[in-house]
Amino acid sequence: MSTATGLGLAACGAAGMALLVDPLLGGPVSRTVRFDSAKLRDSARMRLDQAGLTEVSVGQLLGMSLGAGIGALVVGLAVMGAAVPSLMLAAIGTVTPVGLIRRRRRHQLEEAREAWPAMIEEIRLLCSSVGRSIPQALFEVGRRAPEELRPAFEAAHREWLLTRDLTVTTELLRDQLADPTADSACETLLIAHQLGGADLDRRLAALADDRRQDLLDRKDAKSRQAGVRFARRFVLLVPLGMALVGLSIGDGRAAYQSALGQMLALAALGVLFSCWVWSGRILRLPNELRVFGS
C-alpha cells in the first residue's frame, strides 16, 4: 500500500505541476525551464486581464486552484475511499480554474471575431462620412463594443487622455485584447494617423470584408463539429457512470481501496483526462497568428 501511494503521489505531483504551468504559460513547457517568478506572475496577470478577470489577483487564482483541488480530493475520498485516485482527482481539480479561464478567453475571442467586422465598418464610416478623427472614432466605437472588450478600450482611452500618443495607446489596446484582428485594425489606424489616411476607407472596408468571410468559415466549421462535440461529452460520462455503478455493486468500493485497484483507477483517470484534453485540442479551430502583437 505504501509503495502504491508513493507512486501515486509522485505521478499526481508531476502531472499537476505540468498541467498547472502549461495553461498559465499558454504553451508547452520548454526543455530548459527557468523559474522567473516575476515573469510568470506578470504573464498570469496579463492573461487574467485578457480574460476579463481584472478583479481577480494571481493569489486569488492560486487560492481557487487550491480550493478546487482540496474539494476534489474530499469528494474522491468520500466516494471511493482510495488515496491514489483521489490525489489524481485533486490534481485535475487544481488545474480546473485555469482551464476555465482559458475557456473564457476563447469565448471572448469568439465574441470579438463576431463584433470586429461591424466595429471596423463603423470606424470607417465615422472617419470618412462623419469626419471624426481616428482616435475619436476608435474610442467612440469602443464604448459600444461587447462588454468583454470594453475594459481594454477604456484602459486605452485613459492612456490616450494622459499621453496623446496613439502609438502607446494602440500598443496597450493590442496587449489587452490579444486578438489578431485587433492587431490589424490598430496597425492600420496607426499608420493612417501617422502618414495620412487617403486610402483608409478602402483598407478598412477590405479588412471588414475579410473578417466577415473568416467568421462565416468558422461558423460553418463549428456546425460540422456539433455531432463530434456531443459524442465527446457522452464518451466522458459513460466510463464515469460505469465506475459509479461499480462502486455500488457488492464489494466494488473495497476493490478500489486495494493497491492494484488504486493503480488501475489512477491509470484510467489519467487516460480519461488526457483523452479529453487531447480531443479538445483537436476540435479547437486554429487561431490566426498575431503579427503586430507581442
Side-chain angles (χ1 to χ4, degrees):
M1 178 67 70
S2 61
T3 303
T5 303
L7 290 173
L9 284 170
C12 291
M17 180 59 69
L19 290 170
L20 181 61
V21 172
D22 176 58
L24 282 175
L25 295 180
V29 182
S30 61
R31 295 183 179 179
T32 57
V33 180
R34 297 181 61 185
F35 290 100
D36 188 339
S37 59
K39 185 176 181 180
L40 183 61
R41 184 171 58 252
D42 293 342
S43 176
R45 178 70 269 165
M46 183 182 67
R47 291 186 178 276
L48 286 172
D49 292 340
Q50 291 171 356
L53 301 176
T54 54
E55 70 282 0
V56 178
S57 67
V58 178
Q60 289 173 327
L61 173 62
L62 294 176
M64 288 189 293
S65 298
L66 182 60
I70 293 175
L73 176 63
V74 171
V75 171
L77 291 174
V79 173
M80 294 182 290
V84 176
S86 300
L87 289 171
M88 182 63 179
L89 287 175
I92 295 174
T94 300
V95 302
T96 297
V98 179
L100 292 176
I101 288 174
R102 295 188 69 185
R103 182 181 179 184
R104 175 177 175 147
R105 177 59 185 158
R106 287 197 297 271
H107 288 170
Q108 181 181 345
L109 288 176
E110 291 175 1
E111 291 284 341
R113 289 193 187 98
E114 295 184 3
W116 269 113
M119 292 170 60
I120 294 171
E121 186 68 23
E122 188 174 357
I123 292 173
R124 183 183 72 83
L125 292 175
L126 287 174
C127 291
S128 61
S129 302
V130 183
R132 295 281 196 277
S133 67
I134 290 176
Q136 286 178 331
L138 177 63
F139 300 129
E140 185 174 336
V141 171
R143 284 194 293 269
R144 295 188 291 271
E147 186 176 354
E148 295 83 0
L149 307 183
R150 288 177 195 168
F153 281 97
E154 291 172 358
H157 192 201
R158 287 193 298 268
E159 183 68 27
W160 168 254
L161 294 176
L162 291 172
T163 63
R164 293 291 172 173
D165 187 339
L166 192 60
T167 301
V168 176
T169 301
T170 53
E171 286 180 359
L172 176 61
L173 184 60
R174 290 198 303 246
D175 290 340
Q176 291 280 331
L177 294 175
D179 178 67
T181 303
D183 293 342
S184 300
C186 288
E187 193 69 17
T188 301
L189 295 174
L190 178 61
I191 293 175
H193 180 73
Q194 292 176 339
L195 304 179
D199 60 345
L200 178 62
D201 184 86
R202 179 177 59 82
R203 293 185 181 276
L204 289 179
L207 182 59
D209 289 340
D210 178 76
R211 295 301 87 193
R212 289 192 192 94
Q213 186 60 48
D214 178 74
L215 183 60
L216 290 174
D217 292 341
R218 288 179 177 277
K219 286 184 175 181
D220 180 65
K222 290 191 71 173
S223 66
R224 295 171 183 269
Q225 292 179 346
V228 180
R229 292 181 182 276
F230 174 79
R232 177 175 177 248
R233 298 187 182 97
F234 183 76
V235 170
L236 176 66
L237 294 176
V238 169
L240 292 178
M242 293 178 64
L244 291 176
V245 171
L247 285 169
S248 61
I249 297 177
D251 59 349
R253 193 169 189 272
Y256 280 94
Q257 298 173 3
S258 66
L260 179 60
Q262 291 190 60
M263 296 310 296
L264 290 176
L266 175 66
L269 286 172
V271 170
L272 187 64
F273 181 68
S274 300
C275 290
W276 174 263
V277 174
W278 174 67
S279 60
R281 289 182 179 273
I282 291 178
L283 287 172
R284 191 181 307 166
L285 296 178
N287 291 321
E288 291 185 62
L289 296 178
R290 297 183 62 195
V291 177
F292 302 106
S294 57

